[in-house]
Amino acid sequence: MDKLIITGGTPLEGEIRISGAKNAALPILAATLLADGPVKVGNIPHLQDITTTMELLGRMGVELVVDERMNIEVDCSTIRELFAPYELVKSMRASILVLGPMLARFGKAVVSLPGGCAIGSRPVNLHIEGLVKMGADVHVEGGYIHAKASRLKGAHLVMDLVTVTGTENLMMAATLADGTTVIENAAREPEVVDLANCLNAMGAKVSGAGGDTISVEGVDKLCGTHYDVLPDRIESGTYLAAAAITGGRVRIKDTRPRMLEAVIEKLREAGACVEVGDRWIDLDMKGSRLRSTNIRTSPYPAFPTDMQAQFTSLNVVASGTGTISETVFENRFMHVHELQRMGADIQLAGNTAVIRGVDRLTAAPVMATDLRASASLVLAGLVAEGDTVVERIYHIDRGYESIEEKLAKLGARIRRVPA
Ligand code: EPU
């Protein structure tokens, strides 16, 4: 397994381009199952989760053509198997996103239940309950969800809690249903909006995405289109945090600052000077030390759980004491124990971490446990004294395109050591 070796102590400087959003690309690739003609998806990030999705679609018999710029053309006319096997779903939970489209378009789907993961139990009960309300016949057997429906029917769905992929799955299923579906307490994440825009480009009638009530008027069929995925707000936030923790100055390009308002506000509170343009964000620490911030994660537009681990690392080296409360997932603090091994002063009590900033971190061998936890360890490595070795970086390759190349371009001393 590859490792990253990071020699801390260099302030990041320069500019980098942000890739397409993983969490928009994954549902959009699943949505291609709904279209009668080929769909070309552009600005796809080069990531392990994308490769897994392509493998999943490929095993179903779907034809995929990738060009050198990572535009993927998907043609579902050759689909043979309406099946998502455990071995792929367990390595990427977002595989559950093929359930709604397969059922809506082909009337049948067999998809493995994802099971728990490193950040919590993460059930998919709301995906299933929504489909049942739309008339699907669903049962779980042998670890698999078996779903059938001759044609789904529009329904009024009030979600018990805000779920991103749950909203996406049901929104996709509703596009081909008979009648109108209303999803209340829907997720408002920009990736949900991007998926809705793509579905509308395919001929769907989705309105209200970005608000908490989404309305979908079912149509008889969807057609092929060309759609470019929006930029990755979590990758954007991670590089801003990397610049902040090293006392650096960077510009990130091809991003959308409006999607990052909660994160930018906290970076400013932490002492960073942040300026935004239409598609860029500049961050400059101007020689000042980071200040601790108090963070509470919540669904969009509040502070994202996917930036929680990175801000834990910022607080670890900031002046003062800060608290981080995680309200979205029940077990998303695996990075804390690794950061403690580098000298961090963190007390965990339930879903809150109380962090007293320290003056220095020391390098240690550390282990990545999930995607965003890995990012927080890389951030800590960028300021620790000595060589930090981050193991199990396959987690990071799931969600950050060429992280060592982008950080090296900003002056970081980081290298990948192949297994
Ligand atoms: N939940 C249920 N029942 C359900 C669905 C969700 O109880 O049927 C609970 C979950 O257990 C969790 C909460 O609802 O406690 C919110 O989970 P959500 O369903 O919104 O998460 P997700 O859709 O599985 C997506 C992202 C995650 C991101 C979360 C929250 C994708 C592919 N994944 O997951 O991204 O953390 O929303 O914003 O969009 C990442 O990129 O590192 C990542 C984990």
Side-chain angles (χ1 to χ4, degrees):
M1 277 184 265
D2 291 5
K3 297 171 187 177
L4 286 176
I5 302 182
I6 307 158
T7 309
T10 313
L12 299 187
E13 258 194 76
E15 54 178 53
I16 48 158
R17 183 190 167 268
I18 294 304
S19 302
K22 166 179 86 78
N23 289 348
L26 298 178
I28 286 173
L29 286 173
T32 62
L33 289 167
L34 293 161
D36 263 6
V39 180
K40 194 167 183 176
V41 190
N43 201 28
I44 296 254
H46 203 291
L47 298 172
Q48 184 54 44
D49 274 9
I50 299 295
T51 310
T52 307
T53 306
M54 288 171 64
E55 191 179 343
L56 177 62
L57 294 173
R59 285 218 210 164
M60 291 174 185
V62 169
E63 258 179 37
L64 298 134
V65 180
V66 188
D67 69 18
E68 69 290 344
R69 303 187 63 197
M70 274 303 277
N71 292 302
I72 304 184
E73 188 167 292
V74 191
D75 180 354
C76 295
S77 60
T78 51
I79 197 159
R80 288 184 311 266
E81 280 203 84
L82 302 168
F83 179 63
Y86 177 60
E87 64 196 271
L88 291 179
V89 180
K90 78 170 183 215
S91 68
M92 189 192 65
R93 302 178 50 84
S95 309
I96 190 73
L97 286 164
V98 296
L99 175 63
M102 267 200 284
L103 183 62
R105 170 98 190 278
F106 304 103
K108 198 182 145 198
V110 180
V111 177
S112 171
L113 270 174
C117 77
I119 61 178
S121 63
R122 300 182 79 184
V124 290
N125 58 310
L126 300 174
H127 303 229
I128 295 175
E129 282 166 26
L131 293 173
V132 169
K133 285 203 180 114
M134 293 169 79
D137 174 6
V138 184
H139 71 278
V140 175
E141 200 181 306
Y144 279 83
I145 304 165
H146 298 254
K148 267 198 257 172
S150 50
R151 186 174 181 192
L152 292 170
K153 290 190 282 292
H156 190 165
L157 310 174
V158 183
M159 309 299 285
D160 277 354
L161 49 81
V162 177
T163 156
V164 176
T165 51
T167 302
E168 292 167 344
N169 230 339
L170 297 170
M171 185 166 82
M172 289 190 280
T175 57
L176 291 180
D178 181 15
T180 299
T181 300
V182 175
I183 308 173
E184 293 204 49
N185 199 22
R188 293 189 278 166
E189 270 63 8
E191 294 76 20
V192 174
V193 179
D194 209 38
L195 172 64
N197 290 341
C198 175
L199 291 168
N200 286 340
M202 288 160 63
K205 293 190 173 163
V206 181
S207 56
D212 59 9
T213 303
I214 297 178
S215 187
V216 187
E217 196 183 318
V219 295
D220 290 337
K221 64 178 211 162
L222 296 180
C223 53
T225 189
H226 182 163
Y227 192 82
D228 287 329
V229 171
L230 94 169
D232 197 310
R233 65 194 163 100
I234 305 301
E235 190 199 24
S236 305
T238 302
Y239 285 107
L240 293 174
I245 202 168
T246 60
R249 188 169 58 138
V250 299
R251 166 168 290 195
I252 57 168
K253 296 184 300 186
D254 292 340
T255 186
R256 292 200 199 158
R258 296 226 19 217
M259 303 189 296
L260 277 149
E261 280 177 1
V263 172
I264 290 173
E265 202 175 305
K266 285 294 168 186
L267 286 166
R268 286 187 173 134
E269 211 179 300
C273 299
V274 184
E275 280 181 42
V276 302
D278 199 22
R279 294 176 62 86
W280 54 264
I281 305 174
D282 283 350
L283 181 141
D284 190 346
M285 284 308 291
K286 296 197 171 156
S288 56
R289 184 174 174 194
L290 279 168
R291 292 192 292 267
S292 288
T293 53
N294 296 325
I295 305 268
R296 187 171 186 276
T297 67
S298 264
Y300 191 84
F303 191 91
T305 172
D306 290 343
M307 284 300 301
Q308 180 261 103
Q310 299 87 319
F311 270 71
T312 304
S313 291
L314 294 191
N315 270 357
V316 158
V317 294
S319 63
T321 300
T323 57
I324 307 249
S325 297
E326 172 58 58
T327 75
V328 179
F329 292 109
E330 68 268 28
N331 186 30
R332 209 174 194 180
F333 278 126
M334 302 285 274
H335 46 289
V336 162
H337 310 291
E338 299 301 297
L339 292 170
Q340 283 167 336
R341 297 183 53 251
M342 298 174 75
D345 180 350
I346 309 175
Q347 305 276 323
L348 264 184
N351 72 344
T352 300
V354 180
I355 305 161
R356 270 191 207 91
V358 294
D359 291 335
R360 57 190 271 274
L361 290 179
T362 48
V366 287
M367 203 169 73
T369 49
D370 72 74
L371 172 56
R372 309 304 170 187
S374 326
S376 78
L377 300 178
V378 171
L379 261 52
L382 290 171
V383 287
E385 287 171 13
D387 287 353
T388 298
V389 181
V390 185
E391 295 190 28
R392 298 204 183 169
I393 56 162
Y394 54 84
H395 289 293
I396 219 163
D397 294 332
R398 293 186 50 191
Y400 289 95
E401 183 171 60
S402 317
I403 191 166
E404 73 277 18
E405 284 168 30
K406 287 190 180 183
L407 284 172
K409 188 163 181 270
L410 297 174
R413 287 178 290 166
I414 178 168
R415 64 199 160 91
R416 179 182 290 256
V417 181

